[in-house]
Amino acid sequence: MILIAQITSLFTVSGLAAAGAMTVAIPIAIHLLTRLRRRPQPWAAMRFLFEAYKKQRQRMQIEQWLLLLVRCLILLVLGLALSGPLLNGCARAFGADTTGRTVCIVIDDALSTRAAFSSTGTRFEELRSQALRLIEHLRPTDRIALFRAARPVRAEIAPPTLDHDQARQTLAAMEPRFSAADWPAALASVGDLLSKQNVTQDRGLVVMLSDFAAGTIDLDHTPEGAALSDRARILVTRPMSEASNMQIASLVPRRQMVVTGGGAASIPVELKLRRFAPQTVTELTVVDVALLADDAEKPITSLQREHRWSSGQTEATLSFDVPVPRIDKPLTGGTQMILRARIAAGQQRDAIDADDQRQAVVELRSQLHVGVVGNGRSDVRSTGELAPEEWLALALQPGGKKNSAGPIETQQILNANLDEQTLASLDAVFVLSPDALDDRGWTALHRFANGGGLVWICLPTNQSLTWSGELKKNFGLEWMLGVEVTEAPEAMPWTLRLDTPAPEPLSLLAADWSALLKPVRIKRRVDINGVTGDSSWAQIASSADGKTPASPWLVSAPVGDGRVILITTAVDTAWSNLPTQPIFVPLLHETLRGVLGSSGDAVRLTKLTAGDRPLLGRRWDGAQQLVAAESTVIVLRRNDAGLEPAEVLEKPAVYTAQPGIGLKLAVNPAAEAGNTQALDSDALARWLGRLGSWSWLESSRPEAALLAEAPRTDLGWPLLWATLALLLFETALAKRFSHAAA
């Protein structure tokens, strides 16, 4: 078919081109006719002329041939100037199709295109219909490339192909995804393809098919690499009309790990609702919340929450606790359960069903295993004061060893016995004598924190500060302790600043944070430098005389997937009254729960949306694949950064690691992609203007834009100017070669 089209195009030459080609024979015919021999008539005086002619004959022949050549060239160039199809047909005959275009169709398959467009279909189906109509009206010599604009951007057909049937079949099998559109990346991919294909602006066409919902493009930012002005003309669909949509924007357990302690517990949850294109009327939204085990449909716990929207309200936040019933069997190593929130069926003005549900993974633990590293002293001192190990044991395990079934189990570890094997079964470790650690101990602590553990370092009571360099070297921190211990005036101990908010892992103490800090008095402390940003969790206030500057008291920093905490006083009443104050027990317990429940791995994996490819932490080692309930299998691979899926996670689902290591992760639809409001057409037009030459594509007749050819490079005028130049040149030659006397 394509070969027939090329042959047909070759012989489709305008009448002007044929006439131009034929006129080249005119000067040749005149030249030949003038050379017809006539019967010579003798004349005596001609003898001298013949003698002169013989001397100039060769030069005159050259002059005549040169004039003939110029006159033929004039007519040939004039004919070509009046008709370009002849040149185009010849180019096609040699495989260089100058009329065939490269058409790049980029179709938006983001979550918003799942919204209903009419009573018969969705926005995506309308966009697909327009794409198919465009393909039907392409020329046989037009090449097609097909891209998907949702994240991650995907080239379905590239490089461009002449097989239009393949493009139709690919479009027919395409379904919208659950992620947001990424137009900057899509246009950059199109630009790279056009550049590699060496497509010029008059031969390139980019078709942007999108509903252009409000969350589609950041109109205030023009991405680098997206401009196509020198490669293609752009056709763009107009923004579709907005639709009312309601969604669960987020479902966040305020603690990803819940310690039951062998009894009943609860999961604090924050749920955000959002609606787009809201009506002026009020309405009631009912949300069903369930706690599920092992993807079972029958929930362990279920409840409902309601929200009545006021007129014009677009967002709402619901905070509540999901009760966890008593679980008789020990949850060894943690059991991951699924927290699911779903908008109850029958809600009105909801354009997209896919964002009516969100899921999160919550880990339930019977106990936390905490190690206390020290010199092994647990005896009562001569003064009657308890040793640091004893203060920690009382705070972490108030009932003592008899209460071994409580939420925290402690283990005493000697400094000399600290190694990776000892820490392997622990969740957190308190280091009371960092000055007594050897290189093996410091290395073990670093790897423990990097893998998701909590390392809490306390100052030793002997006031030794020689280990400060080891802390900085092994954990990669900029913290540097002072060279000596500073003591407060006996009658004027330091207090803690009450205006410092509670750190995020201790957010459940936020309401009482200032009240808990108020009675604490500091007698001895060590200054610490290099603490920046959010690393300072609590500070020592200036003394009453105003001469002592504020100094960090409790500092924290992430290390890998874990965290390191340092307190600049010892757990000893000679340093502060902290062990005897109400803050001591909740500070330790909430830090353990909050930090371990919001480790780098836990936080990263609770924010997954469709289109992500997460990096998995060390505790995922041994897993080979992720399996979803609908039999979706994603192979895991290891790279320099760690373990990750071999492909992006496109479908919202709960994925379970296989072989069975008991770990799960939840992938949800991209909330911002559910915005069904329309972009402002004028603002979109200004944004498109920065990309290059563009025009609207009318949805009723998208093929009409294909008939309006882009301005192409036209050789007509240059050839006409060349014709004029040749005429002037011919006139000058004719005058010179006439040999007429001046």
Side-chain angles (χ1 to χ4, degrees):
M1 179 66 70
I2 296 172
L3 179 60
I4 295 174
Q6 290 179 335
I7 296 174
T8 303
S9 299
L10 176 61
F11 290 100
T12 305
V13 184
S14 68
L16 289 176
M22 293 176 61
T23 54
V24 176
I26 295 176
I28 298 176
I30 295 174
H31 178 77
L32 293 176
L33 290 174
T34 57
R35 292 177 57 85
L36 290 177
R37 295 185 177 276
R38 295 173 174 81
R39 180 175 298 178
Q41 297 293 329
W43 183 31
M46 290 295 294
R47 181 169 62 87
F48 301 104
L49 294 176
F50 277 121
E51 291 295 333
Y53 171 73
K54 289 179 181 180
K55 293 181 180 179
Q56 303 295 329
R57 181 178 181 179
Q58 186 175 6
R59 181 173 63 84
M60 293 177 66
Q61 284 181 338
I62 294 175
E63 291 175 350
Q64 290 175 0
W65 281 110
L66 182 59
L67 276 173
L68 176 64
L69 177 63
V70 172
R71 288 164 181 166
C72 291
L73 192 59
I74 289 173
L75 295 175
L76 179 62
V77 173
L78 180 61
L80 294 177
L82 296 177
S83 179
L86 179 62
L87 289 178
N88 292 336
C90 294
R92 283 196 302 273
F94 291 98
D97 186 359
T98 59
T99 60
R101 296 164 295 186
T102 298
V103 181
C104 297
I105 298 177
V106 190
I107 187 168
D108 190 346
D109 58 335
L111 177 65
S112 63
T113 63
R114 290 178 173 269
F117 177 74
S118 64
S119 59
T120 59
T122 64
R123 293 180 175 184
F124 181 80
E125 290 169 343
E126 171 64 17
L127 296 176
R128 177 165 53 194
S129 174
Q130 293 185 31
L132 292 172
R133 289 183 63 176
L134 286 171
I135 294 174
E136 289 295 334
H137 289 81
L138 292 178
R139 301 168 184 166
T141 54
D142 288 338
R143 298 179 300 162
I144 304 176
L146 184 60
F147 292 81
R148 299 175 72 148
R151 192 174 69 91
V153 171
R154 180 179 298 163
E156 294 290 347
I157 298 179
T161 179
L162 289 168
D163 189 348
H164 296 184
D165 286 338
Q166 179 189 357
R168 295 188 191 96
Q169 294 171 8
T170 303
L171 278 168
M174 196 179 295
E175 293 293 335
R177 291 182 282 178
F178 301 88
S179 54
D182 190 355
W183 278 104
L187 293 175
S189 297
V190 172
D192 290 342
L193 181 140
L194 294 175
S195 178
K196 290 177 182 178
Q197 297 290 316
N198 199 27
V199 178
T200 58
Q201 199 272 346
D202 61 319
R203 297 288 85 200
L205 194 64
V206 176
V207 184
M208 297 173 60
L209 301 175
S210 175
D211 60 345
F212 288 115
T216 303
I217 296 176
D218 181 4
L219 297 178
D220 296 328
H221 176 65
T222 302
E224 296 182 2
L228 302 171
S229 57
D230 60 338
R231 291 294 177 189
R233 185 167 57 102
I234 305 172
L235 300 177
V236 187
T237 53
R238 295 181 184 273
M240 293 185 178
S241 57
E242 65 181 21
S244 296
N245 185 46
M246 187 179 300
Q247 67 172 203
I248 298 179
S250 67
L251 175 67
V252 181
R254 296 181 65 185
R255 185 169 292 148
Q256 278 74 45
M257 183 183 67
V258 176
V259 182
T260 65
S266 63
I267 305 172
V269 175
E270 183 178 270
L271 183 146
K272 290 185 178 180
L273 295 172
R274 187 182 299 160
R275 61 177 186 169
F276 302 103
Q279 307 297 317
T280 56
V281 299
T282 61
E283 59 185 333
L284 179 68
T285 297
V286 180
V287 180
D288 295 324
V289 182
L291 184 64
L292 307 169
D294 298 327
D295 302 337
E297 280 301 318
K298 185 177 180 180
I300 298 174
T301 301
S302 61
L303 65 153
Q304 282 191 337
R305 287 293 179 267
E306 299 179 350
H307 177 72
R308 183 168 295 279
W309 299 89
S310 60
S311 178
Q313 184 183 6
T314 58
E315 294 185 357
T317 301
L318 307 180
S319 298
F320 52 91
D321 291 338
V322 176
V324 180
R326 181 183 180 88
I327 300 176
D328 295 330
K329 64 177 183 179
L331 303 175
T332 305
T335 297
Q336 291 194 323
M337 296 190 176
I338 303 165
L339 186 65
R340 184 187 68 196
R342 179 186 294 167
I343 296 177
Q347 301 294 308
Q348 298 179 350
R349 290 181 291 278
D350 188 17
I352 303 175
D353 294 333
D355 59 356
D356 290 353
Q357 174 179 299
R358 295 189 84 82
Q359 301 181 100
V361 175
V362 180
E363 183 175 347
L364 300 184
R365 301 280 295 273
S366 296
Q367 285 184 320
L368 295 178
H369 302 283
V370 179
V372 179
V373 182
N375 55 19
R377 290 182 57 187
S378 59
D379 58 303
V380 179
R381 301 180 182 182
S382 58
T383 58
E385 293 292 337
L386 299 179
E389 290 90 338
E390 293 174 305
W391 284 118
L392 283 176
L394 287 174
L396 295 173
Q397 212 169 356
K401 292 296 182 180
K402 296 180 180 180
N403 189 25
S404 58
I408 297 177
E409 182 186 51
T410 60
Q411 176 183 343
Q412 297 291 330
I413 303 173
L414 295 176
N415 294 310
N417 296 336
L418 183 63
D419 56 23
E420 291 186 55
Q421 184 176 358
T422 304
L423 296 176
S425 61
L426 301 178
D427 299 302
V429 60
F430 287 82
V431 182
L432 298 176
S433 304
D435 57 315
L437 296 179
D438 55 17
D439 290 342
R440 183 184 64 167
W442 282 110
T443 301
L445 288 175
H446 171 256
R447 292 183 178 177
F448 176 70
N450 198 57
L454 168 61
V455 177
W456 187 318
I457 298 177
C458 306
L459 264 64
T461 56
N462 62 9
Q463 303 189 17
S464 172
L465 302 175
T466 57
W467 49 273
S468 176
E470 294 295 330
L471 174 70
K472 180 177 181 180
K473 179 182 71 174
N474 283 278
F475 289 97
L477 302 174
E478 295 300 322
W479 299 346
M480 183 59 69
L481 295 174
V483 296
E484 61 181 13
V485 176
T486 304
E487 296 197 14
E490 184 174 350
M492 196 179 298
W494 296 300
T495 60
L496 298 179
R497 290 185 59 173
L498 305 182
D499 58 348
T500 304
E504 180 59 31
L506 305 182
S507 58
L508 294 183
L509 298 179
D512 302 317
W513 186 243
S514 297
L516 291 171
L517 294 178
K518 189 173 183 179
V520 177
R521 296 293 181 268
I522 309 298
K523 302 175 185 178
R524 297 175 183 171
R525 65 176 173 85
V526 174
D527 290 331
I528 183 171
N529 298 313
V531 180
T532 59
D534 297 332
S535 295
S536 182
W537 279 12
Q539 292 184 332
I540 299 174
S542 300
S543 60
D545 60 8
K547 295 181 180 180
T548 305
S551 173
W553 176 62
L554 188 66
V555 295
S556 170
V559 176
D561 281 335
R563 185 169 288 272
V564 173
I565 295 176
L566 174 66
I567 186 169
T568 58
T569 58
V571 183
D572 190 290
T573 54
W575 288 67
S576 75
N577 66 348
L578 173 66
T580 64
Q581 297 304 307
I583 190 178
F584 191 49
V585 173
L587 176 64
L588 298 184
H589 284 245
E590 288 304 311
T591 299
L592 290 171
R593 287 180 167 90
V595 169
L596 294 175
S598 60
S599 65
D601 184 66
V603 171
R604 185 170 62 249
L605 298 183
T606 55
K607 298 179 179 179
L608 296 181
T609 58
D612 287 343
R613 178 184 285 169
L615 182 67
L616 305 178
R618 285 195 171 189
R619 61 183 189 150
W620 291 76
D621 287 348
Q624 299 176 2
Q625 59 187 19
L626 298 174
V627 180
E630 52 273 0
S631 301
T632 301
V633 178
I634 306 294
V635 176
L636 297 177
R637 67 185 182 189
R638 183 168 294 281
N639 57 22
D640 295 339
L643 197 65
E644 69 172 8
E647 54 188 283
V648 298
L649 305 178
E650 293 190 357
K651 294 183 178 180
V654 174
Y655 294 81
T656 303
Q658 297 291 345
I661 59 175
L663 294 179
K664 300 179 178 67
L665 55 86
V667 177
N668 290 293
E672 69 278 9
N675 189 340
T676 50
Q677 295 174 294
L679 283 174
D680 179 72
S681 295
D682 294 336
L684 177 60
R686 290 191 293 271
W687 188 85
L688 292 168
R690 298 195 288 268
L691 299 180
S693 175
W694 71 278
S695 58
W696 292 118
L697 188 71
E698 297 302 331
S699 58
S700 58
R701 290 186 66 243
E703 66 276 6
L706 296 177
L707 304 178
E709 285 285 352
R712 69 175 78 177
T713 303
D714 187 4
L715 295 178
W717 281 107
L719 290 176
L720 287 175
W721 285 110
T723 302
L724 178 60
L726 288 172
L727 284 172
L728 296 176
F729 183 58
E730 190 274 341
T731 302
L733 286 180
K735 183 177 181 181
R736 178 177 179 83
F737 296 162
S738 67
H739 303 288

